[in-house]
Amino acid sequence: MPHIELGNDLFGIRSLLKYRPETARPMGMLAEVLMRGPGTLTPGERELIAAYVSSRNECGYCTASHAASATVRLPGGATLVDQVLAGPQTAPITPKLAALLQIAGAVQESGKAVRKEDVAAAREAGATDLEIHDTVLIAAAFCMFNRYVDGLATTAQPDPAAYLASAQKNINVGYLASLDPPGTTQQAG
Amino acid sequence: MPHIELGNDLFGIRSLLKYRPETARPMGMLAEVLMRGPGTLTPGERELIAAYVSSRNECGYCTASHAASATVRLPGGATLVDQVLAGPQTAPITPKLAALLQIAGAVQESGKAVRKEDVAAAREAGATDLEIHDTVLIAAAFCMFNRYVDGLATTAQPDPAAYLASAQKNINVGYLASLDPPGTTQQAG
């Protein structure tokens, strides 16, 4: 049961976005630009970074959501996603993506845990500065989303199939489609 | 030296906001609504929560920035801020703020570290659901900002007086004033 009365029966972060539209709007915009905006990392690679960080933060809802998005977007599907979550350094992914996931894993621990060597390795594997930047910010942003979802003890979607349906829908409508306009904060309870 | 070529010589998060205006805009909007938007927590109390979480994340730039903002906004000034950073449970603050800082400290560790008892204690001390929500989200957001600033090894402002000047200016102009329009990502290096 959520720690506060949210006034709706949605799952995970959606229940929070509905509760507080004023903060939902910038968070949705951030997710949209980071995960789907112009860039040389594919949306599938970005979803994989998000799933990996969420998994390290043990956030069940976010892990399932972004693992599903990576699954529907990447040719390797669920098998690849499972391999990456189990350990990016042995998964069949490009050296560049493995190096970026190494950086994302460090960020999950602490910003200070990112070493010069991690960045040099990513660059050597072909990552651009902007890709390194976006990887750090995606990882940092999910350290926020994960804490938001679990810090208020939201309810996770219990039906695994729903995550895949939602991921499929996200491809078409993105991260802003389900938001309410600001000024409508629910004040139940 | 920053891990990537930012193309400017600004300090801390400002160098990153300048580098990537597309992500800067939603992050600035989130900071503005969380730290200065309508709400029953005073802006000084919110800055104190931000400083406390940043301090626990050992992010020097963010701690100094938000400690300075709390200092100029709270009657207790720098002495009070130092006492809170040293340990909120013994600082001369209201039981409600102490309980909310307890929640913020848990969020800094992990979303799952927030216990029902922490939330019950905050409510008993007079905190509303929305105040509990905003405390969790402020703490979670600074787990993002701190990781962003340190994960890319930005340069901290070396002059302590500059943080106070900047905090004073922030009271008048807020968190959106210095942002560049989107579409101007710097691609130096």
Side-chain angles (χ1 to χ4, degrees):
Chain A
M1 214 178 73
H3 284 320
I4 60 173
E5 180 53 67
L6 294 168
N8 67 69
D9 55 3
L10 299 175
F11 297 113
I13 199 164
R14 287 175 187 229
S15 62
L16 302 173
L17 299 177
K18 182 88 178 167
Y19 173 74
R20 186 76 155 110
E22 291 77 7
T23 48
R25 176 69 41 184
M27 280 194 286
M29 289 172 61
L30 181 62
E32 182 69 17
V33 65
L34 271 179
M35 306 305 284
R36 295 165 42 95
T40 48
L41 295 176
T42 68
E45 288 171 330
R46 303 181 217 181
E47 292 290 348
L48 204 50
I49 294 168
Y52 179 58
V53 169
S54 300
S55 162
R56 287 176 58 106
N57 279 327
E58 300 180 353
C59 181
Y61 173 85
C62 296
T63 304
S65 295
H66 296 280
S69 283
T71 293
V72 300
R73 283 184 175 277
L74 293 170
T79 305
L80 178 71
V81 173
D82 287 347
Q83 287 171 310
V84 167
L85 297 194
Q89 302 314 316
T90 55
I93 51 176
T94 62
K96 183 176 96 173
L97 186 53
L100 292 175
L101 286 163
Q102 171 73 28
I103 290 174
V107 171
Q108 183 271 329
E109 193 184 315
S110 157
K112 290 184 189 302
V114 179
R115 301 167 306 169
K116 270 188 200 312
E117 306 89 272
D118 298 328
V119 176
R123 206 172 270 130
E124 197 160 326
T128 64
D129 274 13
L130 191 56
E131 288 171 340
I132 293 166
H133 169 279
D134 284 3
T135 297
V136 168
L137 186 49
I138 290 169
F142 278 85
C143 287
M144 169 178 70
F145 293 132
N146 299 161
R147 280 169 170 77
Y148 188 33
V149 164
D150 282 337
L152 288 163
T154 62
T155 307
Q157 164 65 257
D159 174 14
Y163 289 102
L164 281 171
S166 192
Q168 195 61 54
K169 188 175 162 206
N170 178 270
I171 291 182
N172 302 318
V173 302
Y175 284 101
L176 289 166
S178 63
L179 298 185
D180 287 334
T184 52
T185 296
Q186 293 182 18
Q187 295 273 11
Chain B
M1 214 176 75
H3 285 320
I4 61 173
E5 179 53 67
L6 294 170
N8 68 68
D9 56 3
L10 299 175
F11 297 112
I13 200 164
R14 288 175 187 229
S15 62
L16 302 173
L17 300 177
K18 181 88 178 170
Y19 173 75
R20 188 77 154 108
E22 291 77 7
T23 46
R25 177 69 40 186
M27 280 194 286
M29 288 171 61
L30 181 61
E32 182 69 17
V33 65
L34 270 180
M35 306 304 284
R36 295 165 42 95
T40 48
L41 294 176
T42 68
E45 288 171 332
R46 303 182 217 180
E47 292 290 348
L48 204 50
I49 294 168
Y52 179 58
V53 170
S54 300
S55 162
R56 287 176 60 107
N57 279 326
E58 300 180 354
C59 181
Y61 173 84
C62 297
T63 304
S65 295
H66 296 280
S69 283
T71 294
V72 300
R73 283 182 175 279
L74 293 170
T79 305
L80 178 70
V81 174
D82 286 348
Q83 286 171 310
V84 167
L85 297 194
Q89 301 315 318
T90 54
I93 51 177
T94 62
K96 182 176 95 173
L97 186 54
L100 292 174
L101 285 163
Q102 170 74 27
I103 290 174
V107 171
Q108 183 270 330
E109 194 185 314
S110 158
K112 289 185 191 301
V114 179
R115 301 168 305 168
K116 270 188 201 313
E117 305 89 273
D118 297 328
V119 176
R123 205 172 271 130
E124 196 160 328
T128 65
D129 274 14
L130 191 56
E131 288 171 340
I132 293 165
H133 169 279
D134 284 4
T135 296
V136 168
L137 186 49
I138 290 169
F142 278 85
C143 287
M144 170 177 70
F145 293 132
N146 298 160
R147 281 168 170 78
Y148 188 34
V149 164
D150 282 337
L152 288 163
T154 62
T155 307
Q157 164 65 260
D159 174 14
Y163 289 102
L164 282 171
S166 192
Q168 194 62 54
K169 189 175 162 206
N170 178 271
I171 290 182
N172 302 317
V173 302
Y175 284 100
L176 289 165
S178 63
L179 298 184
D180 288 335
T184 52
T185 295
Q186 293 181 19
Q187 293 274 12

